[in-house]
């Protein structure tokens, strides 16, 4: 799913509207802006709340991403705040959770508050770390 998002191949409304009804291009979450990949995952108010939580939990001063390129640059960055592996794990859980929320709103008309989605991301990451706790690379991640 992350790979499809990176390639901008997910069926966001900005893409699907070019295939049919061009009036249906508003974001499924905020229903205000055009639902492009960058809006949905980085700039939608809902996603921004989640990224503020996620960057803080990783140990950074809270910040937001304005472009997918900046987001990818941060993902590949080597710094002393968090490891690249942990950052990739968190980013994949976050992108998956935002896409899940978008689809749940679109197909089931059910919305989840951003605070609940943040807890879900935390749980997803903890479970992924626990499943790999025997691997040296993941040994200290739970502390981080
Ligand atoms: Zn939006």
């Amino acid at each position: 799913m992350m790979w499809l998002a990176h390639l901008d191949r997910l069926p966001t409304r900005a893409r699907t509207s070019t295939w049919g009804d061009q009036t249906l291009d508003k974001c499924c979450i905020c229903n205000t802006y055009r639902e492009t990949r960058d809006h949905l995952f980085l700039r939608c108010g809902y996603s921004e709340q989640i990224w503020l939580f996620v960057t803080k939990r990783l140990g950074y001063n809270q910040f937001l991403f304005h472009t997918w390129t900046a987001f990818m640059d941060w993902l590949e960055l080597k710094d002393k705040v968090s490891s690249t592996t942990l950052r990739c794990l968190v980013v994949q859980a976050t992108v998956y959770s935002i896409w899940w929320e978008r689809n749940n709103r679109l197909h089931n008309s059910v919305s989840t508050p951003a605070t609940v989605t943040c807890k879900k991301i935390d749980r997803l990451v903890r479970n992924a770390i626990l499943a790999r706790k025997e691997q040296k690379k993941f040994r200290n991640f739970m502390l981080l």
Side-chain angles (χ1 to χ4, degrees), residues 27 30 39 44:
C27 173
C30 68
H39 170 77
C44 185

Side-chain angles (χ1 to χ4, degrees), residues 27-35 39-40 43-46:
C27 173
C28 291
I29 294 178
C30 68
N31 205 28
T32 305
Y33 298 100
R34 203 160 169 265
E35 191 187 75
H39 170 77
L40 180 66
R43 293 194 297 258
C44 185
Y46 187 88

Side-chain angles (χ1 to χ4, degrees), residues 1 15 19-20 22 27 37 39 41 46 55-56 74 84 92 96 98 106 129 132 141:
M1 207 229 103
R15 290 190 68 231
W19 307 335
Q22 296 184 352
C27 173
R37 171 197 64 184
H39 170 77
F41 291 111
Y46 187 88
T55 52
K56 186 179 178 185
W74 173 74
T84 308
Q92 288 174 14
Y96 167 79
I98 293 170
L106 176 64
I129 293 168
R132 294 163 183 82
F141 282 0

Side-chain angles (χ1 to χ4, degrees), residues 13-26 34:
R13 281 187 156 179
R15 290 190 68 231
T16 57
S17 69
T18 63
W19 307 335
D21 188 351
Q22 296 184 352
T23 60
L24 279 176
D25 70 344
K26 294 284 185 263
R34 203 160 169 265

Side-chain angles (χ1 to χ4, degrees), residues 37-102:
R37 171 197 64 184
D38 292 21
H39 170 77
L40 180 66
F41 291 111
L42 305 177
R43 293 194 297 258
C44 185
Y46 187 88
S47 304
E48 287 182 347
Q49 286 181 60
I50 291 172
W51 286 116
L52 290 174
F53 166 82
V54 164
T55 52
K56 186 179 178 185
R57 288 286 281 129
L58 280 170
Y60 295 93
N61 290 325
Q62 295 175 315
F63 63 92
L64 298 169
F65 307 100
H66 295 289
T67 64
W68 194 263
T69 305
F71 175 56
M72 283 295 125
D73 287 348
W74 173 74
L75 190 56
E76 294 168 1
L77 186 72
K78 291 193 186 323
D79 64 25
K80 293 184 178 181
V81 180
S82 68
S83 80
T84 308
T85 305
L86 181 60
R87 218 176 310 135
C88 284
L89 189 62
V90 169
V91 161
Q92 288 174 14
T94 304
V95 168
Y96 167 79
S97 298
I98 293 170
W99 185 249
W100 187 91
E101 175 63 20
R102 179 257 187 206

